Amino acid sequence: MTANGNQSEKLSGLESKIIRQIEYYFGDVNLRRDKFLQDKMKEDEGWIKLETLITFNRLKQMTTDFDVIITALKKSASGILEISEDKTKLRRSLAKPLPEDSDNLRADIKSRSVYCKGFPTDASLDDIQEFFDKHGKVSSIQMRKTLDTKEFKGSVFATFDCQDEAKRFVEAESIKYGETETLRLFKGDYFKRKQDERKAAKNKEKMDKYKGRAEKEEEEDEPGNEYQPGCILYFSGASDQTTREDLHGVFDKHGNVRWIDFTRGETEGYLRFDGPEAQSAMEKAKEENDGKIIVNEKELTTRVLEGEEEKSKWVEIKEQQKKVRDMKKSGRKRKPMRGGRFGGRDGGRRRGPKFEGKKTVFESDDSDNEDTAAKKESLPLKRSHDSEENKTDEPASKQVKTDEAGAE
């Protein structure tokens, strides 16, 4: 058994890529979350066969020749790997065991992890690795891709080996990729920015919704919505089981019912329409049922209010509406009262069953969350045999190939 860690010869470009890729597989960032390799290591005292490693797309694209791989690894100066006597297997050096997963380890990795945006969407992993090589040694590069189309988004997460190098990279006055200035943040700061943006968007949505509701309510007091003759229909003869929903079911087909002044258990009430359509709504409802208006198996007697009687009822209904609006604005729960737009005993608002249970949050590619990312880093991930260039920002429950970009 031999260990790498004594680089004495100049490396070729291919040898550098082989060393970087394989040492990524066995490195601190990948190995602690790579369930596939973890399971394989348990089978043979930590050893992984080369015939297994060359099935990983990134390495397979470089070479499948055992001699080329072993020759390159012997030139590595890291000392992270051991090579079996028969040169067919590799394992993490026993002298450099994998650190135990802990809050301190995650904090250390976080302090060395950065977000960088500004790459063309057709950039390759090798292009991005070459870019980072100019600014320090990185142990992990994750190309961020959309969940639906798997297209590269032009941004990456990268983990430097050294915190000072990560800091210099983020705090540099200007770093360009080609002619494009890059956006650089620590990964934790990036997540915080996304959270702040989501909060701001959510607050704006709430304010827009409140503003729209307030404007709609104010419209009711505008001159164009003031008293118009022919808007109120009186009815009597309702059964004691009739609800405002029952009334809506009959009259909504023939006019826009704005308000119903009626309480279940009573036999009479009023319908206020949005315009002077009470007469036509009454006639159409009768035409629909052989000259009768039947609600909840009872025939109603109806008439359109006129003159002072209608004006007086209009004012009464407006006062009911204002009380409801004032209660909404103050956030107070209101007692059941007569009348409502949609008919219920609480003033007319339709309510569905209130669901109380576990809230499920679905993660999307653009909805970055630091807690979710921390779980991804700490939980084992199953390995698929897809190239890391196809990796996306997916939930940890999906199989994710850790054959990642750059140092990956």
Side-chain angles (χ1 to χ4, degrees):
M1 178 179 65
T2 58
N4 66 352
N6 185 23
Q7 181 177 333
S8 58
E9 301 179 41
K10 186 175 181 180
L11 298 172
S12 68
L14 176 59
E15 289 174 332
S16 295
K17 290 181 179 180
I18 292 172
I19 292 171
R20 175 183 293 148
Q21 192 64 43
I22 295 181
E23 290 187 349
Y24 163 74
Y25 295 148
F26 291 89
D28 294 351
V29 174
N30 179 70
L31 189 56
R32 69 190 184 92
R33 62 176 183 168
D34 192 323
K35 191 175 187 305
F36 178 83
L37 285 181
Q38 290 174 14
D39 291 343
K40 285 292 183 182
M41 291 170 65
K42 292 175 184 177
E43 297 175 2
D44 189 13
E45 298 181 336
W47 292 105
I48 302 293
K49 295 179 180 179
L50 284 177
E51 65 184 34
T52 297
L53 293 175
I54 62 172
T55 64
F56 300 163
N57 284 342
R58 284 286 296 173
L59 182 59
K60 181 168 62 176
Q61 291 169 5
M62 298 175 192
T63 183
T64 57
D65 189 316
F66 287 11
D67 291 337
V68 173
I69 294 172
I70 295 300
T71 299
L73 293 178
K74 284 182 177 180
K75 297 179 182 180
S76 172
S78 70
I80 196 175
L81 293 175
E82 292 180 1
I83 303 170
S84 65
E85 294 294 343
D86 61 3
K87 298 181 177 56
T88 63
K89 297 184 289 186
L90 304 174
R91 74 177 176 186
R92 173 101 179 202
S93 173
L94 299 180
K96 294 187 176 183
L98 184 69
E100 291 187 10
D101 190 29
S102 65
D103 291 341
N104 289 337
L105 176 61
R106 287 192 291 272
D108 174 60
I109 293 176
K110 179 180 176 181
S111 71
R112 298 183 278 112
S113 298
V114 302
Y115 166 83
C116 184
K117 180 179 180 180
F119 303 102
T121 55
D122 60 352
S124 69
L125 180 57
D126 290 335
D127 295 334
I128 295 171
Q129 180 66 62
E130 184 178 346
F131 165 81
F132 275 101
D133 284 344
K134 301 173 184 177
H135 304 287
K137 186 175 180 181
V138 294
S139 56
S140 170
I141 297 174
Q142 178 186 342
M143 298 177 70
R144 304 180 66 244
K145 300 185 179 184
T146 60
L147 286 174
D148 49 358
T149 63
K150 310 299 182 184
E151 294 179 351
F152 179 43
K153 298 168 66 174
S155 62
V156 303
F157 291 128
T159 302
F160 284 84
D161 282 4
C162 173
Q163 184 177 353
D164 289 339
E165 290 180 344
K167 185 177 181 181
R168 282 196 297 271
F169 177 77
V170 170
E171 295 179 352
E173 183 175 347
S174 174
I175 295 180
K176 293 184 177 182
Y177 183 89
E179 299 298 320
T180 303
E181 185 65 42
T182 58
L183 171 64
R184 289 156 285 113
L185 299 168
F186 278 107
K187 192 174 182 178
D189 293 337
Y190 166 77
F191 284 128
K192 185 178 184 304
R193 173 183 285 194
K194 295 295 289 185
Q195 289 172 346
D196 290 343
E197 289 175 356
R198 286 197 299 274
K199 287 180 181 178
K202 188 174 182 180
N203 289 337
K204 183 178 183 302
E205 182 180 357
K206 286 183 177 179
M207 291 301 296
D208 290 345
K209 185 176 181 180
Y210 175 80
K211 182 180 178 182
R213 185 168 62 242
E215 290 176 349
K216 185 176 181 180
E217 291 171 352
E218 288 174 2
E219 286 177 0
E220 296 180 355
D221 295 324
E222 292 179 357
N225 284 318
E226 286 304 316
Y227 170 69
Q228 300 178 65
C231 292
I232 301 176
L233 181 69
Y234 166 80
F235 65 88
S236 62
S239 75
D240 58 4
Q241 296 301 311
T242 297
T243 66
R244 287 195 286 270
E245 285 90 344
D246 296 330
L247 295 166
H248 272 292
V250 172
F251 289 98
D252 277 351
K253 297 177 287 184
H254 311 300
N256 184 11
V257 179
R258 188 79 175 229
W259 189 266
I260 298 180
D261 183 9
F262 175 75
T263 301
R264 183 174 177 176
E266 298 183 352
T267 60
E268 61 179 359
Y270 300 85
L271 302 173
R272 182 212 145 182
F273 291 86
D274 198 35
E277 51 188 335
Q279 182 69 35
S280 64
M282 179 180 65
E283 293 173 353
K284 290 177 181 178
K286 288 182 178 181
E287 290 174 2
E288 190 177 51
N289 198 36
D290 297 328
K292 299 178 181 180
I293 298 178
I294 306 297
V295 177
N296 203 19
E297 300 182 351
K298 295 284 287 186
E299 182 180 357
L300 300 186
T301 300
T302 58
R303 64 182 176 86
V304 178
L305 298 190
E306 298 178 351
E308 290 301 321
E309 182 185 18
E310 184 179 31
K311 290 181 181 179
S312 176
K313 193 62 188 178
W314 175 276
V315 172
E316 182 183 333
I317 290 175
K318 293 290 285 185
E319 289 175 353
Q320 291 176 3
Q321 292 174 313
K322 185 176 185 303
K323 286 180 181 179
V324 172
R325 290 197 301 271
D326 290 344
M327 288 179 182
K328 288 180 182 177
K329 291 178 180 178
S330 65
R332 299 197 311 270
K333 293 184 178 179
R334 62 182 183 275
K335 297 180 181 179
M337 61 182 294
R338 294 177 59 89
R341 288 194 184 178
F342 305 112
R345 293 187 64 81
D346 61 350
R349 185 168 299 279
R350 287 176 177 161
R351 297 183 182 273
K354 181 179 179 181
F355 175 77
E356 295 182 359
K358 181 177 179 182
K359 180 180 180 182
T360 303
V361 178
F362 295 92
E363 180 188 359
S364 68
D365 184 56
D366 293 319
S367 181
D368 298 291
N369 181 281
E370 186 171 12
D371 293 335
T372 302
K375 290 179 181 178
K376 285 185 184 179
E377 292 179 351
S378 61
L379 294 175
L381 300 183
K382 294 182 179 180
R383 171 181 294 277
S384 70
H385 289 274
D386 295 328
S387 167
E388 177 58 22
E389 293 192 54
N390 293 326
K391 181 173 181 180
T392 59
D393 302 334
E394 297 176 337
S397 60
K398 296 184 179 180
Q399 291 192 347
V400 179
K401 170 90 161 77
T402 55
D403 195 5
E404 292 186 348
E408 310 180 31

